[in-house]
Amino acid sequence: MAPQTRQENLWAIVLAGGQGTRLSTITHALHGRDTPKQFAALWGGQTLLERTLDRTSATVPRQRTVVVVPEDFRALAQEQLDKYPGVKVVYQPCNRGTGAGVLLPLAHVLANDPSAKVVILPSDHHVDRETPFRGAIRRAVMATDFASSRTALVGAAAESADTDLGWIDCAGNDSPLTVRAWQVNAFVEKPDATTALDLLRRGALWNTMIIASRGQSLWKMADRHIPEVSWFFRTYRELIGQRGADDFLRGIYPDLPVTDFCRDILQSAKGLVVTPMIDAGWSDCGTPKRLFRAMETTLEGTRLL
């Protein structure tokens, strides 16, 4: 990553709180127990979480990286995260959706640095070529200074008319920004085949759920769109570092409404921009088909070395 991307107030949030149920048969067969895919060594020895942290450290130092993981998998997560000293680990008492899954680590970031910028990265993705991946994140961070929402997404250049992915429609927009980014027109979740083909033809992007933003801007979006969740985390944020913070979290967390960060916040937000990630070989490994394709391309690349 170019040196200028290592801003002093740039933090990383790595989302590793999912249960990975769609790949549970595969991960159970590999590990002999229930293992969310982010903790699974699917090929090459490293887990998807470890690969994510290696990529993240090129952009953000470990001391400004926060990882959220399920309480149920504390021991497994700690075993892997002990390899990354300095990383802050936050344990999620239970899964209440990605709305809570983002606000929990964001509370820790803002408690430490109220002026922080953040990059949010899912932990279960695969990237074949890291240079374009890092470049897209660099441009997204830059774009937060120009977007009216102070929030930029990273969209992967679509390679097929996939009906099992979320799309970002940015077609027809000329960029008003000084970096390569476009205004977001709409989000389209898992379109039918005809719609997906139309999106592909018009240059829409796959939604990677990689987000760059000013931390306070994300929090204001949550206040606006999921206030019943954000009020709880505001109280928790004030308790961080004090006795009783963990008890407060465990006591109320299970009663939180289930919310989805993309559906309930981003899809309602105004002034979002997206920057394209081209030729990175990105995959969310969300289905067996995409997982096997990611494994195949990795093995092909290894044979060419």
Side-chain angles (χ1 to χ4, degrees), residues 199-264:
L199 289 166
L200 178 66
R201 287 171 173 167
R202 293 193 292 114
L205 304 169
W206 287 337
N207 186 2
T208 68
M209 274 304 293
I210 298 171
I211 304 164
S213 182
R214 294 185 182 178
Q216 296 288 0
S217 298
L218 279 185
W219 201 281
K220 288 177 182 178
M221 287 185 196
D223 281 341
R224 187 175 302 117
H225 300 295
I226 53 169
E228 68 280 12
V229 177
S230 67
W231 72 264
F232 162 74
F233 284 106
R234 187 173 296 279
T235 302
Y236 172 69
R237 178 174 149 190
E238 294 169 355
L239 293 173
I240 290 174
Q242 302 180 34
R243 181 179 297 178
D246 290 344
D247 290 339
F248 177 79
L249 186 71
R250 293 191 184 98
I252 299 181
Y253 208 98
D255 296 323
L256 287 175
V258 176
T259 54
D260 182 275
F261 195 83
C262 184
R263 181 190 65 236
D264 296 320

Side-chain angles (χ1 to χ4, degrees), residues 261-303:
F261 195 83
C262 184
R263 181 190 65 236
D264 296 320
I265 296 179
L266 295 181
Q267 290 187 17
S268 301
K270 306 295 184 183
L272 299 176
V273 301
V274 60
T275 188
M277 176 170 58
I278 300 171
D279 195 36
W282 171 87
S283 172
D284 72 345
C285 299
T287 64
K289 179 181 178 181
R290 290 203 295 276
L291 171 63
F292 293 144
R293 178 55 185 160
M295 295 170 67
E296 180 184 355
T297 57
T298 301
L299 292 173
E300 288 175 353
T302 302
R303 285 195 294 268

Side-chain angles (χ1 to χ4, degrees), residues 55-166:
R55 287 195 297 269
T56 302
S57 64
T59 307
V60 182
R62 294 174 183 175
Q63 291 74 16
R64 294 202 302 272
T65 299
V66 181
V67 184
V68 57
V69 301
E71 177 72 42
D72 290 349
F73 292 92
R74 176 187 284 260
L76 180 59
Q78 198 62 59
E79 178 184 339
Q80 297 182 19
L81 293 169
D82 280 348
K83 303 171 187 176
Y84 300 89
V87 168
K88 171 69 175 177
V89 186
V90 179
Y91 295 99
Q92 185 173 246
C94 59
N95 189 355
R96 304 306 294 167
T98 52
V102 169
L103 288 178
L104 174 56
L106 183 59
H108 282 266
V109 170
L110 293 178
N112 282 277
D113 184 357
S115 66
K117 284 185 177 181
V118 295
V119 176
I120 300 173
L121 302 113
S123 63
D124 51 1
H125 292 180
H126 171 72
V127 173
D128 281 325
R129 293 167 290 280
E130 294 192 10
T131 297
F133 172 85
R134 294 169 183 170
I137 291 179
R138 182 177 67 249
R139 293 192 301 274
V141 171
M142 293 170 60
T144 63
D145 291 330
F146 302 95
S148 61
S149 64
R150 300 295 185 255
T151 301
L153 312 177
V154 174
E159 299 171 359
S160 62
D162 201 304
T163 59
D164 196 44
L165 286 171

